[in-house]
Amino acid sequence: MNPLLDDPSLGEFFRLNGLPQPQPHVRLDDYWQGLAWQQRDLGGWTLDSLADALVSFMAARNDPAGSPVRLCSLQILAGQAKDGTPETQDLNFLPGDVVCIVGPTGSGKSRLLADIECLAQGDTPSRRRVLVNGLEPDPEWRFSSEARLVAQITQNMNFVMDLCVGDFLCLHAESRRLDDPRAAADRVLAAAVDMAGEPFAAGTPLTQLSGGQSRALMIADAALLSPKPIVLIDEIENAGVDRNRALRLFVEKGKIVLLSTHDPLLALSGSRRLVIRNGAIAKVVEASPEDRRYAEELARLDRGMATLREAIRRGQAPAEVWPGLGF
Amino acid sequence: MKLITLAGPPSSGKTSIAIRTLQLLREEGLRAGVVKFDCLTGRDGERYRAAGLPVLSGISGNACPDHFFVSNIVDCAAWGHEQGLDLLLSESAGLCNRCAPHIRGLYAVCVLDNLAGVDTPFKIGPMLKTADLVVITKADIVSQAEREVFAHRVRQVNRKARILFANGITGQGAWEIGQLWRDAAEDDELTGGRLRFSLPSAVCSYCFGQTKIGHEFQRGVVRRIEIPGLETGGEQEQAQ
C-alpha cells in the first residue's frame, strides 16, 4: 500500500501526530524516506504502523458513526414490577412520538430509560424486552456503543471540552461526514440560540455557557447532528429553555423521544404518558384534547414567567409586565 | 487461563471498571485475579482485596513501569496458574504514553475517560492504538455530542477496536465488558510471545539515577528540544 497523501483532510492527521506536513503529490513511501530518523522515532513509527494509522484515520472519516438501522418502530414488551407482578401492556413507539414518563422518585423511571438504552432482552431486573422494527435487535449492537440507538440528555451532563461552540459543532458535523460541516454547525447554533432565550455566539467557549444555554445546545445538537434515532431525556429543567420548541425540534426530525419529568407542562406535552409505580408501567394515558388545552394554558403561563423573569432582570417592577395578579 | 492486559492513563477508572466486571464474572463462576503494576505507591491492591479478588501488586520504582511489566509478566502468569485462576487481569497505568503492555494474541483493553480533551486519543499512543477494546468512562457527565466526538476520535486512531461506554461507579457497561472478557484468548504461548509495540531504550544517565541538571551530567542518548535561534547541539546527540 503506497497511497498518495493528497487528501486535504490528512493535514489534520499529520498535525495531530506531530509529523511534518507532506509535500504536494507525494506518496507514502517517499514521505517515509524523507522523514529524519528522529521524526520516525518520536512516535515509535514504522512504515507499516504509519500506513495503518493512516488507514484508521481515513476509515473513521469514510465510514461515519451512525445508526445501524432505519428505525421504524420501537416496541417494549411487558416485564414485571419490583415485586414480580407482571406488567399488563406492551408498548409501540413510532418516529415523532413524544412519550412522557411520570412517577415519584425511585419508582423506576430511570430503569425504563436504561432498559431502552441497553436494548434489554429480559435480562434486566424489569424483565422487559425491547424490539427494534418488530425484531429482536442484533446482539452485536450491545457490544458497540457506536451502534447503540440512543442519545441521552440528563441533568448531570455538562460540556467539558475546551473548545468554542462553533469549532465543537464543526467537529461533531465532521465526525458525521456531512458535506458542509460549517453550515450544519450554523443550523445547530441557530436552533440552540432560538431555544435558549439568551443569545450566544459561535465564538463562545463551551464551558462558559449558562445552564440554559448548555441545555439548549445539547438539545439542538441531539436533534440535528446526532445520528441516534431515539432520544432519552431525564428532565429538562426550566433554565429558561423554551421546552415546547425543544420538543417540536425532535418531532420534526422524526426522533422517538422518551422524557422523564416532574414538570406538568412537559408531562402534558407528549402524545402519551406512562405512569410508573413500583418499577412497572402502571398506566398508559393517551393525551386527551383536555390535556392539550391544559398544556396550552401552562405554556402561556410559562411564557408569562419568562417575560416576568426578563423584566425583573432588567430592573423593572413585576406589575409593569404582569399586572393581572391584582395585588 | 485467560490473560488480559488493561491499560490507561492514571485515574481514568481502570480499577473501578475492573472490579465491577470481575465481580460479575465471579458470579458466573469464573475465578478471576489481578496483577496491578504501579509506578510509585498504589492502594489499588487493597481495593481488589476488599472486593475479594486475589491480587499481586508490583511497584516499578526506579524502573520504567512497562519494562517492569514485561520483565515480570511471565512470573505473574505462573502465579495466576498456581492460584488456579481462570482469568488474570494485568492492570497498569500508562505513564508517559510512549509504551503499551499489550501482548500479541492476548486480549488488550484501554480505558480512557471522556473528560480528557478531544485530542487525547492522539496523545495516548500504542496502549490505545493496539487495543482490542476501548472502554470510555465518565461519559455520564458530559454531553451526548462530546461522547460522539470522543468516540470518533478514538476510531480515527484505532478503527479495529470495539468502543464501549461504561460507568465504574454504577457498573453500567460492566456486563458487556465481562461477556467480551469471557471470550478472551488463553495465555499458553506467553514465553516467546511478542509485545504489540516496542518499548523504548532507556539509556540516558537519568535512567540510571542521575539527579544533577546540566549538559556535563548527561550520558548516553540525549534528545534536545529544538529552539529557534538557539544552538542546542542538534536534535539528538551521543553525550560522552
Side-chain angles (χ1 to χ4, degrees), chain B residues 84-126:
Chain B
L85 300 182
D86 300 312
L87 187 155
L88 177 63
L89 182 75
S90 163
E91 184 201 329
S92 45
L95 294 167
C96 71
N97 297 339
R98 166 59 182 77
C99 304
H102 301 324
I103 296 168
R104 290 186 199 174
L106 296 182
Y107 203 63
V109 185
C110 178
V111 178
L112 291 180
D113 79 64
N114 214 150
L115 298 177
V118 264
D119 290 344
T120 299
F122 285 87
K123 298 176 184 168
I124 293 294

Side-chain angles (χ1 to χ4, degrees), chain A residues 244-312:
Chain A
N244 270 320
R245 195 171 291 184
L247 291 184
R248 270 206 309 279
L249 198 58
F250 287 124
V251 172
E252 282 162 18
K253 288 290 151 189
K255 306 271 185 185
I256 294 177
V257 180
L258 286 106
L259 177 81
S260 155
T261 186
H262 298 289
D263 173 352
L265 166 56
L266 279 174
L268 294 175
S269 303
S271 41
R272 219 182 304 185
R273 55 186 187 275
L274 313 180
V275 185
I276 311 286
R277 209 174 295 142
N278 195 26
I281 301 171
K283 203 170 161 192
V284 181
V285 185
E286 298 291 332
S288 66
E290 191 188 41
D291 288 347
R292 287 189 213 292
R293 280 198 300 277
Y294 269 88
E296 277 165 31
E297 182 61 14
L298 285 172
R300 198 182 61 77
L301 287 171
D302 195 52
R303 284 192 295 276
M305 279 294 282
T307 317
L308 185 64
R309 188 185 303 125
E310 263 317 296
I312 290 173

Side-chain angles (χ1 to χ4, degrees), chain A residues 69-75 92-97 132-134 229 256:
Chain A
V69 286
R70 196 184 155 72
L71 185 69
C72 303
S73 76
L74 180 76
Q75 269 171 286
N92 190 24
F93 306 132
L94 303 174
D97 278 353
V132 174
N133 298 340
I256 294 177

Side-chain angles (χ1 to χ4, degrees), chain A residues 38 145-146 160-161 172 226, chain B residues 146 148 155 162 165 235:
Chain A
Q38 292 94 332
S145 291
E146 292 189 296
V160 296
M161 284 182 181
H172 195 196
S226 173
Chain B
E146 284 166 310
E148 289 174 15
R155 231 151 49 90
R162 275 177 198 280
F165 289 95
E235 220 209 19

Side-chain angles (χ1 to χ4, degrees), chain A residues 58-99:
Chain A
M58 293 307 284
R61 183 176 166 273
N62 294 334
D63 178 22
S67 178
V69 286
R70 196 184 155 72
L71 185 69
C72 303
S73 76
L74 180 76
Q75 269 171 286
I76 300 175
L77 305 187
Q80 62 183 39
K82 285 176 189 168
D83 59 10
T85 323
E87 284 177 321
T88 51
Q89 212 172 339
D90 297 341
L91 295 167
N92 190 24
F93 306 132
L94 303 174
D97 278 353
V98 175
V99 181

Side-chain angles (χ1 to χ4, degrees), chain A residues 12 16-17 37-38 41-45 52-53 55-57 59-60 63-65 117-118 140 142-146 148 150-152 154 156-161 163 168 171-172 175 206 218 221 226-228, chain B residues 98 114-119 122-123 126 129 133 139-153 155-160 162-166 172 175-177 179-180 197-198 221 223 235-236:
Chain A
E12 201 194 359
L16 286 164
N17 283 295
W37 76 267
Q38 292 94 332
D41 183 55
L42 210 55
W45 294 109
D52 196 55
V55 171
S56 266
F57 190 84
D63 178 22
E117 205 278 326
C118 76
E140 187 64 16
R142 282 189 89 153
F143 297 103
S144 160
S145 291
E146 292 189 296
R148 296 272 173 100
V150 162
Q152 281 178 296
T154 74
N156 295 334
M157 285 179 174
N158 284 296
F159 284 110
V160 296
M161 284 182 181
L163 287 173
F168 175 73
L171 206 56
H172 195 196
S175 80
L206 280 178
M218 284 178 199
D221 181 278
S226 173
K228 312 289 184 187
Chain B
R98 166 59 182 77
N114 214 150
L115 298 177
V118 264
D119 290 344
F122 285 87
K123 298 176 184 168
K129 264 184 220 172
L133 169 67
D140 55 318
I141 49 177
V142 306
S143 64
Q144 174 74 26
E146 284 166 310
R147 294 181 193 187
E148 289 174 15
V149 167
F150 198 80
H152 173 73
R153 285 292 178 150
R155 231 151 49 90
Q156 282 183 317
V157 174
N158 184 340
R159 71 186 183 285
K160 292 173 192 153
R162 275 177 198 280
I163 300 174
L164 270 181
F165 289 95
Q172 175 251 328
W175 181 85
E176 285 82 356
I177 297 171
Q179 296 308 304
L180 295 169
F197 200 84
S198 71
V221 179
R223 184 187 280 275
E235 220 209 19
Q236 189 105 12

